Amino acid sequence: MTETGGAVVNGSLRLLLIGPPGAGKGTQAARLSEAYSIPAISTGDIFRENVKNGTALGVKAKAFMDAGQYVPDELTNDLVRDRLSQPDVADGFLLDGYPRTLQQVEELDDILGVDGAALDAVVVLTADTDEVVRRLLKRSAEQGRSDDTEDVIRKRLEVYTEQTAPLVDVYSGRGLVVDVDGLGEIDEVTGRIIAALASR
Ligand code: AMP
């Protein structure tokens, strides 16, 4: 049992984090991973690592990432299936940025078995468009990520709205969604997520 700011977590915790680019998913994933002692699995980070190391997957993924598009489901699904077969996820995990398409939802259901019932909650981080564009442009200046230019940012937001926003309805239908306002100080947002999960 883990005490986390009032949240008591028994056994394993399997979470998804969904939100538009720039909503602070990566930052919050790292915090939650520490708070709940579960590994955070970010498909974006795994792709970036592969790009950096020049692997075959990285070479294929880079073209899509630089265009602000999603890496095809076949490539993404295999990577997640492999990652979720590793022993460190036995006591729970936090998936950051996967699934992002309806097909990936089906794949994750298949990986986890029994219609995704194995998930405990889906945290949806909300943030308005002006704010996320502002944050992404700031990150671009600080980190120089090649997919943070203004044109690519707009494309990524468009792709999110078209392909990922519909997932919220799917998970709402399963009673798993916890909406959390992603605007504000980092600590404040982490606190909101932990409180929202504790009150479920
Ligand atoms: P992120 O760091 O999560 O914003 O991901 C950066 C980029 O990696 C995205 O814009 C996509 O090109 C790619 N990517 C990450 N996760 C996925 C996913 N689940 N499906 C397809 N592409 C993804």
Side-chain angles (χ1 to χ4, degrees):
M1 206 191 282
T2 313
E3 283 276 355
T4 305
V8 178
V9 183
N10 285 302
S12 76
L13 184 61
R14 296 167 156 203
L15 299 176
L16 304 186
L17 194 50
I18 295 183
K25 288 191 303 298
T27 307
Q28 295 302 328
R31 300 292 191 97
L32 297 171
S33 164
E34 206 185 313
Y36 295 119
S37 304
I38 49 176
I41 301 172
S42 155
T43 41
D45 281 351
I46 298 173
F47 284 132
R48 277 186 290 279
E49 190 62 24
N50 276 274
V51 170
K52 199 172 96 195
N53 294 332
T55 66
L57 174 65
V59 171
K60 285 185 203 155
K62 188 177 187 329
F64 295 99
M65 294 168 78
D66 285 351
Q69 285 165 352
Y70 287 165
V71 177
D73 287 335
E74 313 82 75
L75 298 176
T76 311
N77 287 334
D78 281 354
L79 173 159
V80 174
R81 187 175 282 276
D82 177 64
R83 182 64 187 84
L84 288 179
S85 72
Q86 291 171 25
D88 66 328
V89 304
D91 290 332
F93 55 79
L94 168 67
L95 276 173
D96 159 18
Y98 181 96
R100 262 172 149 115
T101 66
L102 291 168
Q103 206 277 326
Q104 292 178 11
V105 171
E106 282 177 27
E107 184 75 12
L108 182 63
D109 287 349
D110 187 60
I111 297 172
L112 298 178
V114 287
D115 222 14
L119 291 174
D120 295 296
V122 176
V123 176
V124 178
L125 266 190
T126 57
D128 75 28
T129 307
D130 287 348
E131 175 63 15
V132 299
V133 170
R134 198 186 63 74
R135 285 188 189 182
L136 290 168
L137 287 171
K138 184 163 169 266
R139 183 171 76 187
S140 154
E142 287 165 2
Q143 300 178 9
R145 252 176 70 162
S146 59
D147 59 351
D148 276 344
T149 62
E150 191 155 357
D151 281 356
V152 178
I153 288 170
R154 290 196 193 292
K155 180 70 193 167
R156 287 165 66 209
L157 285 166
E158 203 180 293
V159 171
Y160 176 83
T161 305
E162 278 169 13
Q163 300 199 45
T164 305
L167 273 57
V168 177
D169 287 342
V170 173
Y171 286 121
S172 281
R174 296 184 188 179
L176 291 173
V177 168
V178 174
D179 276 306
V180 176
D181 181 359
L183 290 190
E185 293 302 316
I186 293 173
D187 282 346
E188 203 180 321
V189 177
T190 309
R192 271 180 216 147
I193 298 174
I194 289 174
L197 288 172
S199 66
R200 269 175 63 76

